[in-house]
Structures are given as structure tokens and as C-alpha cells.
Amino acid sequence: VTSAHDAGAVTVVVTNPDGQSVSIPGAFTNVAPTERLYYLAEGSLLWQFETTISISNANATDAPVKVTFMKEDGTTVSLDTSVPANAHLTVRPAELAGMPGTSFATVVNSTTGLELAVARTMTWDGGHGGHSASASSALAGKWYLAEGAQGYFDTYVVVGNPGSTAGIVTITFLVEGGSPIVRQYNISPTQRLTVFAGDIVGL
């Protein structure tokens, strides 16, 4: 176990209890830290919604981050900032040019690989209602959502595509007391896709 080193090749020295030693130049390579990504599919500044992104850094060093908001038209807005050591940062998308009046997914990139805690909070009706969710640290090709209701409630399914390749999203609604309803949607790179259950016949 070593302390932190700059990236690059280093010499390994092995020393016996009797003091004899041997060294092997360039035998070990320190690699640069890799980025660590956090994903949030939902966020909106439409209607009465307000959205904030909360980032906590429990590390002993500052954490540079890049926060990217992916809008429904496939365009993005990014913010480069830093979370101080042992501190918390609140990002308010409404304060960024191009964000008011949009819905979006969010990617938080800890560019030096430091582990962070990331969450999203949405409030509405002047703060009388609210909801929060923790970010996912991994992408997946299949997701399961146990709850949905359309009628008295409105249900939306939101999907974020942070990749550089377009794809097709297949959504299967398992209807209580009825047959499954399947719909497919195209999703562009860096797009947030919103599917309103009220627009689908049978739901």
C-alpha cells in the first residue's frame, strides 16, 4: 500500500530483513485517477417545479466536478465547478443560461475519481410539495418500476441517454387486470426522453 504518487512509472525496491535489497526500475505504474459518474434521469423547471442538485464531498481534498444537464431536444448545458473538502454544494439549474423552462436529466462527473454523494430534489407549489432521489452510479439496459397509476394521478417515465449513440427505448406497461402495453421510442445522444402515460391508449 503506497501513498499518493504522480502518474507514471516508478521503481520497486524489495528489502530483506537482513538489509539486502534489489530494485527494479519502472516495474510499477501509477495511473491517473479515473472519473466517477453519477446519473439522475429526472429534473424539471417547467410549471411550478424547482430542481436542485446536491453534491456532498466527504473526502479530505477538493473534488472537481462537471455537471451536465441533458435537455429533451438533445442539447446540453454544463457547469464546471468544485466541491470543497468535507463540504456540500447545491447546484441550481435555474440560475444557468438556457435552463429555465426546460426538463432535463443530469450527469455529475467527479473528474478526479473521488467518491461523492449526489441527489436531486424537486419542489413545487412554492415548496408545499417535494421529492428527492439519490443518483445512480451505473447505467443499465433494463430498469424495473413497480408503481404507476394514470387517472387521478399522472405518471411519467423519464429516460436519460448520456452516451454518444442513438437508441430505441422499449417500455412495457404491466397493466393490473389487463394485458401488457408495449411502446417503443427513439432516443438521441444526450437526450432526456419523457413518456406521459396519459397519452397512451389503454393506460
Side-chain angles (χ1 to χ4, degrees):
V1 177
T2 69
S3 59
H5 290 277
D6 291 334
V10 295
T11 298
V12 174
V13 179
V14 178
T15 303
N16 291 334
D18 63 4
Q20 297 183 72
S21 66
V22 62
S23 64
I24 308 175
F28 191 85
T29 302
N30 291 308
V31 297
T34 57
E35 61 188 16
R36 190 182 296 265
L37 300 171
Y38 299 87
Y39 305 96
L40 295 156
E42 186 179 14
S44 183
L45 298 171
L46 293 171
W47 188 56
Q48 300 178 27
F49 290 119
E50 294 292 334
T51 300
T52 57
I53 307 299
S54 301
I55 309 172
S56 293
N57 175 17
N59 299 286
T61 58
D62 293 354
V65 296
K66 180 172 187 174
V67 184
T68 301
F69 301 101
M70 305 183 301
K71 298 190 286 185
E72 292 187 307
D73 63 2
T75 62
T76 62
V77 173
S78 294
L79 171 69
D80 291 297
T81 185
S82 182
V83 187
N86 297 305
H88 177 86
L89 175 70
T90 299
V91 177
R92 293 177 171 82
E95 297 176 354
L96 302 177
M99 289 303 297
T102 66
S103 293
F104 51 89
T106 306
V107 179
V108 176
N109 183 351
S110 176
T111 58
T112 57
L114 290 174
E115 190 170 4
L116 305 172
V118 180
R120 184 267 303 138
T121 300
M122 291 178 65
T123 59
W124 57 88
D125 192 22
H128 289 97
H131 177 267
S132 64
S134 297
S136 172
S137 59
L139 298 174
K142 184 177 289 188
W143 294 86
Y144 298 93
L145 303 166
E147 185 178 15
Q150 186 59 41
Y152 179 79
F153 296 102
D154 283 334
T155 296
Y156 296 83
V157 177
V158 295
V159 183
N161 177 14
S164 58
T165 305
I168 298 175
V169 176
T170 300
I171 303 180
T172 302
F173 298 93
L174 305 178
V175 180
E176 186 174 352
S179 300
I181 295 174
V182 181
R183 293 290 185 272
Q184 287 190 326
Y185 303 89
N186 294 318
I187 188 167
S188 300
T190 66
Q191 182 188 6
R192 148 47 197 272
L193 171 69
T194 304
V195 177
F196 176 42
D199 289 338
I200 299 174
V201 175
L203 294 181

